[in-house]
Amino acid sequence: MSAIPDFNKPLYAPLAEIDPEVQNIIDKETWRQYSGLELIASENLTSLAAMEANGSILTNKYSEGLPNARYYGGNEWIDELEVLCQKRALQAFHLDPTKWGVNVQPYSGSTANFAALTAMLQPQDRLMGLGLPDGGHLTHGYYTAKKKMTASSIYFQSLPYGLDPSTHLIDYEGLTKQARIFKPRLIICGASAYPRDWDYKTLRSVADEHDAFLMADIAHTSGLVAAGELADPFEFCDVVTTTTHKTLRGPRAGLIFFRKDSPKAKDLEKRINDAVFPACQGGPHNHTIAAIATTLLQACQPTWKAYAKQVIANAKTLGEELIARGYKLQTQGTDNHLVLWDLRPLGLTGSKLEKLCDYVGITINKNAVSGDASAQVPGGIRLGTSALTSRNMLTDDMKVVAEFLHRAVQLALLLQKEAGSKLLKDFIRAATVVEEGKVGAKTVIDLRREVRAFARKWPVPGVDSSKLVRPAGIEEDD
């Protein structure tokens, strides 16, 4: 081998040598994931195999276009990879390739959704999606009285549908009445914080009444749908989109499935593919497509159904344990991987509990609950069990987690009292500054130690915990 010129030597050095600052940040994040409990419903832990694929040499290759129709040469193996990924996507969701196709190139769920809207709609066409405060998603047409928040509301006319206030379930009757006035071109179903399953058959009948497309965004639940543990949207929808990193447990990206025989558009396949590229994005991320393919292979195995069943069992147990302690959950339970916890009866905001849980090593997120005046001031917390299940936790372990959450809520109420005001900055001070005559900050330290000890009993996929050393920049109180 010829000598490497000085200007190329950085290409052959490992990360720890060439960029110790970035390596340290990665090490700190690894330590955080190992030392805490991940309960954000939209997060999961991908496999060692997916991480190896995602960090592969495939990152070097440009491949604008579709397999066997690229704008660059040298794509024979990339073509093979993308065709394999498409094949596995259809297999994972039990789809007939003569009736369904899939585009595996979207960079994320939000870009997948906007590409799907671009394919089905013209600018200023009308769409309906579940409102964000009722558990919907930003990309389903969300806007406020003062501002159109996302592209789906900027470029299209949007009308949200909501929940029945008495049951907190989707108000299908109300949706039907709204649609007769609004006359949408597209109805979107799917949510980011809805703990129950969907009635796709009813939604199809509403869409058909107005000759509208029906699209399901199953980003949160796709892993459970693939396992056959939730209702099948493919039976009724024209388009189905999903992320790949939530219950599907893959890298961070998106998929768009489209019905080849949709009566709404015979050319839907071409419209979807053209919308992804060149309309909405450039060359695909081939390293990520490799990781998606590896993930989908896992989703085709018998072990996948067992994983999905455990995710749901863990979520049900977590919900039951919180209800047993007197707390209020939206719909008082769950059919899927998440529970939505209403903190308003306690006089506590989601922001404060999220902040406190960060301090004690439990990662959660504040979330609107039905009836909130604004999604920006949420009255609840969203909890999901996908990631803890990926760390091998079972239902008995969820009982331990529920007790940690119970203690965190009671501690948050104490801190709010000790803060002397309802301002978040005063709450943070009470949680982090030990003051004479107050026990809140000391109790935070005690709970953090217990959570940390419990979390470190469990492995993290892709991490050899036996070799982990606390990285520089991490201060701990033990």
Side-chain angles (χ1 to χ4, degrees):
M1 181 181 292
S2 60
I4 300 172
D6 288 346
F7 62 79
N8 271 343
K9 286 182 178 177
L11 295 177
Y12 299 87
L15 179 62
E17 177 184 322
I18 199 70
D19 194 345
E21 281 186 278
V22 167
Q23 181 66 64
N24 175 250
I25 291 170
I26 293 172
D27 292 343
K28 287 187 289 190
E29 174 60 15
T30 302
W31 191 256
R32 184 194 70 83
Q33 293 187 25
Y34 169 61
S35 302
L37 300 176
E38 181 55 72
L39 280 163
I40 291 180
S42 54
E43 294 193 8
N44 207 339
L45 308 176
T46 197
S47 64
L48 170 62
M51 283 191 272
E52 288 177 347
N54 210 27
S56 70
I57 201 168
L58 296 172
T59 196
N60 292 344
K61 190 71 192 93
Y62 237 129
S63 54
E64 290 178 348
L66 291 168
N68 304 310
R70 306 289 187 179
Y71 288 80
Y72 291 90
N75 274 298
E76 57 267 36
W77 310 125
I78 300 301
D79 286 354
E80 182 178 344
L81 170 68
E82 188 166 336
V83 169
L84 177 64
C85 189
Q86 292 169 342
K87 178 183 176 183
R88 288 179 176 176
L90 298 178
Q91 288 176 337
F93 289 92
H94 321 289
L95 300 175
D96 182 345
T98 66
K99 295 182 178 179
W100 282 90
V102 61
N103 190 298
V104 301
Q105 296 186 7
Y107 301 149
S108 69
S110 58
T111 57
N113 281 351
F114 193 69
L117 298 186
T118 300
M120 290 183 283
L121 304 178
Q122 292 296 310
Q124 297 307 311
D125 274 356
R126 295 180 171 189
L127 65 87
M128 294 178 68
L130 182 63
L132 187 72
D134 282 336
H137 194 265
L138 284 165
T139 59
H140 299 175
Y142 179 63
Y143 58 92
T144 69
K146 295 183 179 179
K147 185 177 181 182
K148 294 182 176 181
M149 303 294 287
T150 63
S152 56
S153 62
I154 293 171
Y155 296 108
F156 307 102
Q157 296 182 46
S158 169
L159 179 68
Y161 57 90
L163 306 181
D164 182 323
S166 63
T167 64
H168 295 154
L169 300 175
I170 301 295
D171 183 2
Y172 294 102
E173 185 177 343
L175 188 165
T176 302
K177 292 177 180 177
Q178 285 178 289
R180 286 172 181 159
I181 297 171
F182 191 61
K183 303 190 186 322
R185 182 65 182 140
L186 168 68
I187 295 175
I188 304 175
C189 47
S192 63
Y194 183 62
R196 298 297 180 178
D197 209 348
W198 288 75
D199 181 356
Y200 298 110
K201 184 177 182 180
T202 293
L203 289 161
R204 178 76 267 170
S205 67
V206 177
D208 284 345
E209 183 178 341
H210 304 286
D211 194 31
F213 287 103
L214 181 63
M215 171 180 136
D217 176 357
I218 60 170
H220 263 273
T221 57
S222 57
L224 310 180
V225 170
E229 293 301 306
L230 292 177
D232 182 8
F234 294 93
E235 185 178 352
F236 299 102
C237 293
D238 302 288
V239 170
V240 177
T241 65
T242 182
T243 54
T244 52
H245 56 272
K246 299 185 177 92
T247 52
L248 200 55
R249 202 161 62 171
R252 309 188 76 82
L255 302 172
I256 306 174
F257 296 88
F258 45 84
R259 187 180 286 277
K260 292 181 176 180
D261 60 350
S262 171
K264 302 290 184 275
K266 298 299 183 184
D267 61 343
L268 189 55
E269 177 172 10
K270 184 178 189 321
R271 287 162 66 168
I272 292 286
N273 288 334
D274 287 349
V276 173
F277 172 82
C280 291
Q281 60 182 54
H285 296 171
N286 298 305
H287 54 299
T288 304
I289 291 174
I292 296 170
T294 297
T295 296
L296 292 167
L297 176 65
Q298 295 168 28
C300 292
Q301 307 308 310
T303 50
W304 189 260
K305 190 173 185 68
Y307 167 68
K309 281 182 175 292
Q310 191 63 55
V311 168
I312 294 172
N314 283 351
K316 287 182 181 295
T317 298
L318 183 60
E320 289 163 1
E321 290 292 313
L322 293 175
I323 290 170
R325 289 166 173 79
Y327 296 117
K328 180 183 178 184
L329 303 183
Q330 192 145 302
T331 76
Q332 287 300 95
T334 183
D335 295 327
N336 54 36
H337 64 298
L338 67 83
V339 297
L340 193 56
W341 189 356
D342 189 348
L343 301 174
R344 294 173 301 184
L346 304 172
L348 188 64
T349 64
S351 302
K352 288 180 180 175
L353 185 58
E354 178 189 286
K355 183 64 68 174
L356 172 63
C357 282
D358 260 348
Y359 293 145
V360 302
I362 302 173
T363 311
I364 61 179
N365 72 275
K366 57 185 176 291
N367 209 97
V369 286
S370 185
D372 273 347
S374 168
Q376 278 76 45
V377 187
I381 286 291
R382 186 184 63 168
L383 305 170
T385 55
S386 300
L388 295 189
T389 309
S390 294
R391 290 189 73 179
N392 305 336
M393 295 187 199
L394 305 177
T395 51
D396 282 348
D397 307 305
M398 291 303 104
K399 296 176 182 179
V400 177
V401 173
E403 179 61 19
F404 282 141
L405 289 167
H406 167 63
R407 290 170 59 186
V409 166
Q410 298 307 310
L411 177 53
L413 292 171
L414 171 64
L415 291 167
Q416 187 166 267
K417 186 176 180 180
E418 289 187 344
S421 83
K422 290 194 173 183
L423 296 177
L424 183 60
K425 65 177 183 178
D426 293 328
F427 180 86
I428 291 171
R429 186 198 71 247
T432 56
V433 179
V434 176
E435 298 180 67
E436 188 174 347
K438 296 182 179 180
V439 300
K442 292 179 181 178
T443 309
V444 169
I445 294 169
D446 293 339
L447 183 55
R448 178 163 61 232
R449 287 171 175 162
E450 288 188 54
V451 170
R452 195 161 58 212
F454 176 75
R456 289 177 183 169
K457 294 179 181 178
W458 309 94
V460 177
V463 176
D464 184 351
S465 55
S466 67
K467 296 180 180 179
L468 280 181
V469 177
R470 188 170 72 193
I474 297 287
E475 302 297 330
E476 292 184 352
D477 40 41
D478 53 9

